[in-house]
Amino acid sequence: MAADRYQSFAPVYDLFACEPVYRPGRLAGIAGLGLRPGQTVVDAGCGTGLNFVHLEAAVGPSGRIVGIDASPAMLGRARHRIRRNGWTNIHLVHADLTAVGPAALAGLVHEAAPDVDAVLATYVLSVARSPAAAWERIVALCGPGTRVSVVDMQLPTGAAAALAPLAALACRLGGSDPSAHPWTLLEHDSRDTHASSLRGGHIQVRTGTPNSTAPPRGPTTR
Ligand SMILES: C[S@@+](CC[C@H](N)C(=O)[O-])C[C@H]1O[C@@H](n2cnc3c(N)ncnc32)[C@H](O)[C@@H]1O
């Protein structure tokens, strides 16, 4: 299972995350969410929390971030990062996005944040045992208008195809299936998908507003 791989990978994940290559994908996914101060964003498959600094900049101290991951070791690194930075508005949830009941996951997230304005999934769905099952849980977190960004990998195309062996190695190391194309799930379920790609097509970014399956929630005080 993918999370098992990350249990042993956690201590060195940040060293091998190749941020000069992959950070632009995070930034594009986050920009697409159009986050405002005070909003709530779920980081699905948050890993060690490499997105947190960018999400904090977007939602500010009055906003909320909920990080979900299946690997306790990755969550341990995320917790360490939160402590080191003194962030007090990040809540971590230990859950397998392919196994937890959609309603149970929504319950865990809503305990920390009654309304979810946005969900970010960077480099996680192609790693998940079943991207479709994980996507179903993500959609269950969404209310009407919740924005979702999926950022993931495939082999580079066109002139950049020469770099395919390098990209394939990166995918193999991370346990990512470059043929999974999980962004097609968002394209299928959203009426307003915005698409972009980076690094010769290796990084694919999709942002949209999935048709919510969540039951209507009562009025909140926010
Ligand atoms: C390549 S890392 C990406 C981490 C982070 N999103 C980032 O951008 O750095 C993949 C992460 O997905 C998590 N993961 C894999 N399958 C999962 C699942 N079914 N449910 C929750 N997390 C999962 C792993 O534990 C790991 O932390």
Side-chain angles (χ1 to χ4, degrees), residues 40 79-80 102 121 177 186 218 222:
T40 293
R79 204 164 285 118
H80 183 64
D177 173 3
L186 185 146
R222 286 196 315 124

Side-chain angles (χ1 to χ4, degrees), residues 76-94:
R77 304 301 296 183
R79 204 164 285 118
H80 183 64
R81 187 188 301 281
I82 293 167
R83 262 201 309 271
R84 208 174 54 225
N85 285 280
W87 294 320
T88 55
N89 58 344
I90 305 181
H91 181 82
L92 297 179
V93 172
H94 176 220

Side-chain angles (χ1 to χ4, degrees), residues 3 5 13 17 21-22 30 64-66 92 178 183 192 197 220:
R5 169 190 298 264
Y13 178 80
V21 175
Y22 294 108
I30 292 169
R64 271 177 286 206
I65 299 167
V66 182
L92 297 179
W183 50 87
D192 58 351
S197 75
T220 65

Side-chain angles (χ1 to χ4, degrees), residues 115 159 194-195:
D115 291 307
H194 178 268

Side-chain angles (χ1 to χ4, degrees), residues 1-7 9 13-14 17 19 22 26 43-51 68-72 74-75 93-99 120-130 134 151 153 174-176:
M1 173 196 166
D4 292 340
R5 169 190 298 264
Y6 282 93
Q7 278 296 96
F9 208 20
Y13 178 80
D14 290 358
E19 279 301 275
Y22 294 108
R26 310 179 184 289
D43 188 350
C46 64
T48 62
L50 286 174
N51 290 324
I68 304 171
D69 205 279
S71 160
M74 293 295 269
L75 287 174
V93 172
H94 176 220
D96 182 334
L97 286 165
T98 64
L120 176 68
T122 55
Y123 313 115
V124 57
L125 292 179
S126 67
V127 168
R129 183 178 39 201
S130 164
V151 180
M153 297 183 258
S176 160

Side-chain angles (χ1 to χ4, degrees), residues 154 195-206:
Q154 65 175 5
S196 61
S197 75
L198 298 154
R199 305 293 188 225
H202 176 44
I203 300 173
Q204 295 290 319
V205 183
R206 300 291 185 279

Side-chain angles (χ1 to χ4, degrees), residues 31-44:
L33 295 175
L35 290 165
R36 294 190 304 277
Q39 289 196 315
T40 293
V41 57
V42 171
D43 188 350

